[in-house]
Amino acid sequence: KRKRGRPSRNEPRDITPKLPRLPHGPNTSDSEYAYVSDSGGLLTDDEVSALKYRRMRDLNNEASKRCRQTRKEKQASEEAEMNALAERNTKLKASLTKMETQVMELKAKFLAEIRNPSTKIAIARRQMIGSRLGYDSNIIGSLIDTETEQLPDIHSFWSV
């Protein structure tokens, strides 16, 4: 695919050289210069202004070319940075969704544990009673009602 615009040149551009000046004479002031052509003759004012304009245009064309090139390089680097940031953003979003699912799972487990604490309380009571009496907590646990808040009366059970 061809690029837009004028095709690029491979050879260097010709910039019009500065005009050679005649050395100052005794009658010339600093503001008056006489310009010499390559052939050695003096140039007219129109020729001098045309050459000055041509040089100005050549220099401006070169400056424009450099400016466009630096702008293109800057845009390419910013685009590369944008792509890197977009990739990082997708990784961070994936990490975020993973963490959110972990939070949801842990929250569900936690709520399941505290929603019905009576079984946990009953297990703790069994272990506490079993350790006091020196019995297996599973045997004692079959005798405890898990729905009540009170501890069972152990003395009345063993006195029977």
Side-chain angles (χ1 to χ4, degrees):
K1 182 179 174 183
R2 277 184 42 192
K3 294 183 180 178
R4 287 179 15 193
R6 182 181 298 161
S8 63
R9 281 194 197 171
N10 293 334
E11 71 271 357
R13 293 181 188 229
D14 294 329
I15 297 178
T16 309
K18 282 190 170 185
L19 296 173
R21 298 180 188 171
L22 278 179
H24 289 295
N27 299 346
T28 59
S29 67
D30 286 342
S31 61
E32 293 179 8
Y33 292 108
Y35 293 99
V36 181
S37 69
D38 292 339
S39 62
L42 290 176
L43 296 175
T44 64
D45 287 340
D46 289 340
E47 291 173 333
V48 169
S49 63
L51 286 173
K52 282 184 177 181
Y53 178 76
R54 183 72 258 152
R55 178 171 168 73
M56 180 187 68
R57 292 301 313 139
D58 289 343
L59 291 172
N60 183 262
N61 288 344
E62 288 299 316
S64 298
K65 182 181 172 185
R66 285 192 309 270
C67 179
R68 284 189 292 270
Q69 185 63 33
T70 55
R71 188 179 344 132
K72 192 182 290 185
E73 290 169 359
K74 182 179 176 185
Q75 184 178 4
S77 69
E78 286 175 352
E79 190 172 327
E81 183 183 359
M82 183 190 71
N83 291 337
L85 288 174
E87 184 178 331
R88 182 171 183 251
N89 192 20
T90 54
K91 287 180 182 178
L92 288 174
K93 282 183 179 181
S95 175
L96 175 70
T97 54
K98 182 180 174 184
M99 288 179 180
E100 284 177 342
T101 55
Q102 285 179 344
V103 165
M104 297 269 291
E105 290 170 359
L106 290 172
K107 191 183 239 184
K109 283 182 182 179
F110 179 73
L111 289 176
E113 292 292 323
I114 65 164
R115 195 169 283 151
N116 190 7
S118 60
T119 56
K120 295 290 180 187
I121 293 171
I123 291 170
R125 285 181 186 162
R126 282 185 225 153
Q127 290 173 348
M128 184 177 69
I129 293 170
S131 66
R132 280 188 200 160
L133 298 176
Y135 292 110
D136 185 16
S137 63
N138 292 331
I139 296 172
I140 296 173
S142 62
L143 304 172
I144 297 176
D145 182 16
T146 59
E147 298 300 320
T148 63
E149 291 292 320
Q150 296 178 348
L151 287 171
D153 185 14
I154 297 169
H155 301 291
S156 63
F157 174 76
W158 291 110
S159 61
V160 175

